Structure formats: structure tokens, C-alpha cells
């Protein structure tokens, strides 16, 4: 008997880390993200020799694309009979919060569960409102033609980056930056619905500027250098994925030129609109 489940990873456009406590409980959070056709696949294989649980993913390790959230979601879906995606997402969050000194958000598992391009709102009680963006096919194609991921080769550890941001937040050092990032997410949602990709690109750059002020570890020297290289080679905008510090950079611009510059570091992708799937 083989039980198999897959879930996509995500790319966050704007608002990441506003889904983290203690920010959302005081101010409410908002994240705009998309699921992509890169997957975590898990399976349970049962035989007369016993039961095995196996995983694999088609993305680099510590890519900053929400892999751990997708993996935990797949694991829970495999070992339980639960099919309610929202309930599974909250279980993932509760498990992450049970680990001492760990600050994790909610966007990763919701993107993995529901798929598509989503605007997620987190109220002060922690409830999540899922707003699916039903964009025109022409806009979706333009986004896919102009967006490209580049893996930095530097491992991304969201725990370290998020902890530093939360420490600063508790000391009141970066509240205005968090609020600006949240506002950018709302503005970017409007830009996409309006089909204004120039505005979308401008907001990606503004998100990066504000995110860089959350903590010194967000955009280290190496990542800053790669962003500059991308901007010299066809990119109009760039954003660090996840909480930054490493992982991947999302570029918007001339895909052909960016691919030529970064070669094997490129993670080409299209959007996923299915989310969590029970395959067998």
C-alpha cells in the first residue's frame, strides 16, 4: 500500500513576517504570495516489512520558499484522515509554536494547502482570511514571463532571521517598517488586480527596502551583491524570499538576460493552482 501526497512551496511577494506573533496580534497582518510548481512530495509505504515515511522535494535545501511548512503539512495529511485544509494549516502552526524560542508564521502552510495567488489577512485573534486573486490569464502569463528565482547558495534559516526581527519588534525598533510592509502588501494586491505590473515591480523594490530595515541579517553583503548583479543584467526589481538572510531572490525583468547571468542558480517556475493534493 502506498499513500502519496504533494504540496507546492511558495514565493512571497509582499507582507511576509507580518503573519508572525507578536505582530499580528497587535496590528493584524497581510501577505501576498503565490504557490509555484515546485513540490514537497511525501508518501507512506506499507509492506509486510513495516511502514516507511519518505519525503523528497524538487528545490534546493533552505531555499526560503516555505519548504518546512509544506513538509509539515504533507506529514500531517499523511498520518491523519483529515481533509479540511484550513484545519491542517492551523495544526502546522501549532506544532511550530510548540518549539521553544521559535517564531514562525502562517503563510507557508496556507500557500501550500490552497495553491494559487492569494492575499492572506491575519486578524488579531490569529484567524486567517484567504482572498484568492482571480487574475486575467494575460496578467498571469506576463508575471510568469517576467518573474524568476535565483538561489543564492547561502542557506536560509527562518528561525534565526525571524527571531532577530521579533527581538527588534519587541524593543519597538522596527514597528514602522512592519507597518509599511503590511501596507505594501495591500497596494501590491491592488496593482495586480489593476494589471499594473510596473507598479507591482516598484512595490517589490520598496518591500525589499523596508525588509532590509527589520534586521541586519536580512540582506547580508553577498545577497546585496547578487541583487546588484541582477539589476545590472535585466532585472527591474528584486526581493529576498521569506525572511531573508539567504535562500532565494525573486527578480522581475528580462528573464532571458537574468538566466544568462545566473545560469544553474536559476529556479524557473510557473504558478500552481491546486495546492495540497492526495495523489494515491
Amino acid at each position: 500500500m502506498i499513500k502519496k501526497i504533494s504540496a507546492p512551496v511558495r514565493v512571497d511577494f509582499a507582507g511576509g513576517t507580518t503573519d508572525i506573533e507578536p505582530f499580528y496580534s497587535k496590528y493584524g497582518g497581510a501577505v501576498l504570495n503565490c504557490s509555484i510548481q515546485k513540490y514537497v512530495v511525501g508518501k507512506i509505504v506499507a509492506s509486510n516489512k513495516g511502514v516507511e515515511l519518505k519525503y523528497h522535494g524538487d528545490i534546493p535545501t533552505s531555499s526560503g520558499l516555505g519548504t518546512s511548512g509544506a513538509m509539515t503539512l504533507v506529514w500531517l495529511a499523511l498520518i491523519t484522515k483529515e481533509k479540511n485544509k484550513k484545519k491542517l494549516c492551523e495544526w502546522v502552526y501549532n506544532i511550530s509554536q510548540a518549539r521553544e524560542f521559535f517564531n514562525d508564521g502562517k503563510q507557508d502552510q496556507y500557500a501550500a494547502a490552497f495553491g494559487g495567488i492569494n492575499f492572506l489577512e491575519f486578524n488579531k485573534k490569529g484567524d486567517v482570511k484567504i482572498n484568492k486573486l482571480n487574475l486575467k490569464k494575460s496578467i498571469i502569463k506576463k508575471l510568469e514571463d517576467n518573474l524568476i528565482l535565483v538561489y543564492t547558495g547561502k542557506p536560509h534559516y527562518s528561525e534565526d532571521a525571524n527571531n532577530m526581527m521579533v527581538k527588534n519588534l519587541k524593543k519597538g525598533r522596527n514597528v514602522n517598517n512592519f507597518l509599511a510592509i503590511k501596507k505594501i502588501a495591500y497596494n501590491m494586491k491592488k496593482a495586480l488586480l489593476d494589471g499594473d505590473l510596473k507598479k507591482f515591480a516598484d512595490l517589490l523594490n520598496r518591500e525589499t527596502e523596508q525588509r532590509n530595515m527589520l534586521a541586519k541579517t536580512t540582506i547580508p553583503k553577498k545577497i546585496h551583491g547578487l541583487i546588484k548583479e541582477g539589476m545590472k543584467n535585466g532585472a527591474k526589481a528584486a526581493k529576498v524570499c521569506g525572511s531573508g538572510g539567504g535562500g532565494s531572490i525573486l527578480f522581475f525583468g528580462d528573464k532571458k538576460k537574468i538566466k544568462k547571468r545566473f545560469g544553474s542558480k536559476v529556479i524557473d517556475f510557473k504558478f500552481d493552482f491546486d495546492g495540497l493534493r492526495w495523489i494515491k
Side-chain angles (χ1 to χ4, degrees):
M1 185 275 289
I2 299 176
K3 186 179 178 183
K4 192 173 181 181
I5 292 175
S6 73
V9 296
R10 60 96 185 106
V11 172
D12 56 314
F13 293 143
T17 62
T18 69
D19 59 328
I20 289 178
E21 176 63 16
F23 182 82
Y24 74 72
S25 65
K26 190 170 183 179
Y27 303 99
V31 173
L32 178 65
N33 66 20
C34 68
S35 303
I36 64 173
Q37 292 179 4
K38 299 292 179 181
Y39 301 96
V40 172
V41 179
K43 63 181 179 180
I44 292 177
V45 182
S47 67
N48 56 6
K49 295 181 180 180
V51 178
E52 288 184 289
L53 178 61
K54 298 180 178 181
Y55 289 104
H56 76 268
D58 53 0
I59 50 173
T61 304
S62 301
S63 58
L65 303 176
T67 309
S68 60
M71 185 175 290
T72 308
L73 180 75
V74 167
W75 169 66
L76 284 171
L78 278 170
I79 65 171
T80 69
K81 295 181 179 180
E82 186 58 61
K83 293 294 180 74
N84 185 308
K85 291 183 176 182
K86 197 161 188 177
K87 187 178 288 187
L88 285 167
C89 287
E90 289 304 310
W91 287 353
V92 173
Y93 180 71
N94 290 337
I95 287 171
S96 73
Q97 297 308 295
R99 299 189 330 186
E100 192 175 9
F101 305 122
F102 191 73
N103 294 288
D104 203 1
K106 292 190 173 187
Q107 68 153 317
D108 297 354
Q109 57 266 33
Y110 274 86
F114 291 94
I117 302 170
N118 294 302
F119 185 71
L120 305 172
E121 294 178 285
F122 311 90
N123 69 19
K124 294 179 181 181
K125 294 180 180 179
D127 298 326
V128 182
K129 182 179 180 182
I130 306 163
N131 305 278
K132 282 196 169 291
L133 271 61
N134 296 312
L135 303 179
K136 294 178 181 179
K137 289 183 179 179
S138 60
I139 297 300
I140 290 172
K141 186 177 187 308
K142 285 180 181 178
L143 283 170
E144 289 182 335
D145 287 346
N146 286 276
L147 288 171
I148 191 164
L149 284 168
V150 172
Y151 180 57
T152 67
K154 179 179 172 61
H156 161 91
Y157 300 109
S158 61
E159 181 175 355
D160 295 338
N162 287 341
N163 283 347
M164 180 64 70
M165 292 176 188
V166 169
K167 283 180 181 178
N168 287 339
L169 179 64
K170 287 179 177 178
K171 294 176 181 178
R173 291 176 179 168
N174 53 11
V175 174
N176 288 336
N177 303 117
F178 268 101
L179 291 172
I181 286 170
K182 177 184 172 182
K183 185 177 180 180
I184 288 169
Y186 279 92
N187 291 338
M188 194 180 287
K189 171 194 171 187
K190 185 179 185 303
L192 284 183
L193 291 174
D194 290 344
D196 188 347
L197 296 190
K198 183 182 183 304
K199 181 72 171 177
F200 171 81
D202 290 343
L203 288 166
L204 279 178
N205 285 329
R206 285 175 57 189
E207 221 270 8
T208 297
E209 290 170 5
Q210 291 295 329
R211 185 163 300 280
N212 190 37
M213 298 178 189
L214 294 180
K216 292 180 180 179
T217 57
T218 305
I219 306 180
K221 188 176 181 179
K222 178 182 178 179
I223 308 302
H224 182 70
L226 290 172
I227 289 174
K228 285 182 70 175
E229 279 297 304
M231 299 299 267
K232 290 178 183 177
N233 290 273
K236 297 176 183 176
K239 182 194 174 297
V240 292
C241 292
S243 53
S248 303
I249 300 168
L250 178 69
F251 288 106
F252 181 95
D254 189 323
K255 184 177 283 192
K256 191 174 181 179
K257 287 183 179 179
I258 298 168
K259 275 187 171 183
K260 184 177 180 180
R261 170 60 185 84
F262 291 106
S264 61
K265 293 180 179 179
V266 168
I267 305 172
D268 212 352
F269 71 90
K270 290 186 179 296
F271 299 126
D272 169 276
F273 293 95
D274 295 322
L276 185 67
R277 291 194 301 138
W278 287 258
I279 301 170
K280 292 182 181 181

